[in-house]
Amino acid sequence: MGTGLHRVRVPQATGRWWAFAAIGLIASMPLKAQGNYEIQVYGSDTIPPGSTMVELHSNFTALGQRSEIQGVYPTYHQEHETLEITQGINDWSEVGFYIFTSEQAGHGIQWVGDHIRPRVRVPRSWHWPIGVSLSTEIGYQRPVYSLDTWTWEIRPILDKAIYRWYFAFNPALERTWHGPDVHQGLAFAPAAKVSYDFTKRVSGGIEYYADYGAFSQFDSFREQQQQFFAATDLNVSPKWEINFGVGIGVTAATDHLIIKGILGRRFNWHKPSAVE
Amino acid sequence: MLASGLITRRQFLQSSAAAPAAALTPAASHAFTLADYTLTIAPYTLQVSSRRFIRTTAYNSQVPGPLLRLHEERPVTIEVTNRTSNPEVVHWHGLFLPPEVDGAMEEGTPPILPGSTARYTFTPRPAGFRWYHTHTFAGRDLKKGQYTGQHGFLSIEPRQNPARYDAEMFLALHDWRAQLLASDDGSMNPYYDVSTINGHVLGFGEPLRVKAGQRLLLHVLNSSATDCHWIALSGHQFEVLALDGNPVPNPSAVPMLSLAPAERVSAIVELNNPGVWVLGEVRQHVRAAGMGVVVEYANRSGKPQWRQPDTLSWHYHQFESTQPTSPGNSGAIEVPLVFKSKFTGHGDLDHWTINGKSFPHTETVALQQGQRYRLQFINQSTDHHPVHLHRHVFELRRLSGRPTRGIMKDTMLVKSNTQADVEFIANDPGSTLFHCHQQDHMDTGFMMLFRYV
């Protein structure tokens, strides 16, 4: 199932010319590293009861942070593989579990951390005109990948399909429980998606991920994370989820080029009989 | 702005509103004659359970509308007043009526405008279990058209009735509170929260009170806008006598009935198992949504019993003629009709085509009076389609590659990715509508007209 951009907020410098700027910024910025482990805008649907969704999120940072910051590995040429397993509880709730990993030259394959993500949705019987659900996510990541090791997120999810268009908006709030940002309070990290159904099987559009910083005082634009992905979804079967995208970061604090892919398969453990 | 030459069904209906009335006349022209029946179409709040109310539109403030018992070949006048804010029309489903009163604006029946009254005068035939219902556009408004409570039973009494039964009951299966949701086929489809029999959920309202030893004649109608239903009466079987009001050549006992939207089944139940039983939808989630009614034998009490069938079983072949089917040509002219869907977005209903075109751009097939035609329903979609031919009755001739004879219907279910052939004689001149009876399908192009030359 979908989730937001799992990242740890970060000043980001990509490319040779940014390296000098990044060094200069380190002194004045919170020392954070961006972690793109699962890059996806949530839809409001939950997994049906008796079903399990298994997804593999693969992301490669082609242009990212090149230098280590306070012991946090650089994101440049990091390959992230995230396994997400989501179990449907009933027709309005689910629980997701994540295993984050990273592979990088010089560091090999590393376990990064784990998250758990319960989610509830507005039941269909309420007949709301848009899909609404609420996700909360708690997890740990190792300090070599994020100085904020324990984090919590609450993510409202709104979406709507209108004819060939699909709109989703995730105005997520993040909170650090352990790490340098523990006193920062709530941070605002919205994500959004607009896509168009070119055919029954092929949809394409733009995904947007951002981190504006603390609610009490947003970061300056260059310190914010702002990322846009051109993404496509292949709707080959209700059992499969396939998404592919290329994203660019438009601020200094954002990884500048990321390639992402999602491959998901839904398993129905109980096949209802014709009379069920 | 629409491209030139492209009009929707809604626009077609609006333009046809200007057509002159024929046998449907304003009530003022009959001020001094009494109608045989009156129907008032008006907003109505239906109580489906002790705590649930549904705002809808109904005939005479009841759901289903009143049972109209008409006599075969005896002229009747039915006065209809429209107290809604939308044009309405009443279709007399299964009768051989002129297009002017059949009750489809696409054929030329004038609408009854908001606030006005009109009279339908016609001679009902053939005898059998028919029904009446609205025949208007709903589109994405799932509180209009057949999604409302505008349906009622129509019993055309034969001049001589040889049927042997002790009691007769009419049951209407209906689904309520529809919403469009994404489905596994990639498009939006209507889904329902509440399902009822005669406007009530299981356990609410009066039970069907019966007596041991009786032969109960049940007339079951599926008035749902879009959904098929399977019905069983625990502890009993159904001896199916007629489909869509037309006697079957081989009445057979079956454990359950299946009805696509607009289909009817007339069946005898031998009341030989005293107790308190549930007559309900076989599928558990639909029964849980309310589709069921308690059947209570006299002097019996207790909790209603339900015996869950393991499978769904039903096929038209069960009731076909046992006479050998002639493989030869019946002399019918073949008319292939290919049904396909057209994707218009994951946030939209599929649109539908017959031979590549959507109504009102579908071809208008010319019929010659007295000629026999073989309609080949070639369903190249993943949806089932309950197709209905107005003003005529057809005979099932081939189902999924297997020949059949003797079953006469006005509505039949063509299953997904199958072909079904039917034959009919063009014996009722006038514009004749053919369409899928699923409201969302007919609203999105699944219609065509036959015309006589």
Side-chain angles (χ1 to χ4, degrees), chain B residues 2 41 50 70 84 180 270 300 318 340 418:
Chain B
L2 288 169
I41 308 167
S50 58
L70 312 181
T84 73
L180 289 178
E270 298 281 357
R300 295 288 175 154
Q318 296 166 110
K340 282 186 179 177
T418 66

Side-chain angles (χ1 to χ4, degrees), chain B residues 28-45:
Chain B
S29 62
H30 302 271
F32 302 106
T33 58
L34 290 175
D36 299 287
Y37 291 97
T38 59
L39 292 177
T40 300
I41 308 167
Y44 175 63
T45 299

